[in-house]
Amino acid sequence: MKRKKRHLSAEFKARIATEALKGIRSVNDIAQENDVAPSQVSQWKKELESRMVELFESSNTSKKELKKLEVREAQMERKVGQLVLEKDFLLKKCEQLGIDVSEKL
C-alpha cells in the first residue's frame, strides 16, 4: 500500500535540521523519532548549513539595495519634473510663434 504524501511545515523542517546540525543525536535517531527518512533529515541539514549565511547577509544587502532604489527614484522624479517644465515651455513658445502642435502630439 502506498503511503500518503505528507506536507511538513517549515517550522518542523527547521526544528529537525537544527537538531541534526547540533549533532547531539544521530541523524538516524532523529529521523526515526520524527517518522521521516534519514536522507531527508540530511538534506534539510545541508540546506540549513548552506543558507545560514543568507540569513545574515540579506538584511544588509536589502538595506543597501533599498537605498540605491530610493536614490534612483529621486533622480527619476527630478528628471520627469525637468522634462515636464521643458515641454510646457516649448508648448508656450510654439503658441506664441503660431505653430500648431496639436497634430504632432
Side-chain angles (χ1 to χ4, degrees):
M1 179 187 280
K2 279 192 172 182
R3 185 174 175 178
K4 229 180 185 183
K5 186 175 180 176
R6 296 187 310 177
H7 295 283
L8 303 173
S9 70
E11 292 84 14
F12 176 79
K13 294 175 183 179
R15 183 178 57 80
I16 300 299
T18 304
E19 193 175 334
L21 191 60
K22 287 179 184 176
I24 296 171
R25 296 183 8 215
S26 72
V27 170
N28 286 332
D29 290 342
I30 296 168
Q32 188 175 14
E33 181 181 297
N34 293 289
D35 194 31
V36 293
S39 60
Q40 187 66 66
V41 174
S42 296
Q43 182 181 355
W44 292 339
K45 178 183 171 185
K46 286 178 188 173
E47 186 171 350
L48 178 64
E49 288 173 334
S50 67
R51 299 185 75 189
M52 269 198 270
V53 175
E54 291 176 28
L55 295 173
F56 298 104
E57 219 174 49
S58 65
S59 63
N60 291 338
T61 304
S62 63
K63 287 178 185 176
K64 289 177 184 176
E65 288 297 318
L66 182 60
K67 185 66 177 170
K68 284 181 184 178
L69 288 174
E70 287 173 351
V71 167
R72 180 76 174 142
E73 181 183 13
Q75 289 173 341
M76 298 302 283
E77 286 175 352
R78 284 193 300 273
K79 186 66 176 176
V80 167
Q82 177 187 355
L83 292 172
V84 167
L85 286 174
E86 289 175 5
K87 178 186 173 245
D88 290 344
F89 171 79
L90 291 172
L91 285 174
K92 192 182 288 183
K93 284 299 176 186
C94 285
E95 189 178 299
Q96 289 175 353
L97 295 172
I99 301 171
D100 184 25
V101 291
S102 61
E103 60 190 41
K104 295 177 182 167
L105 293 177

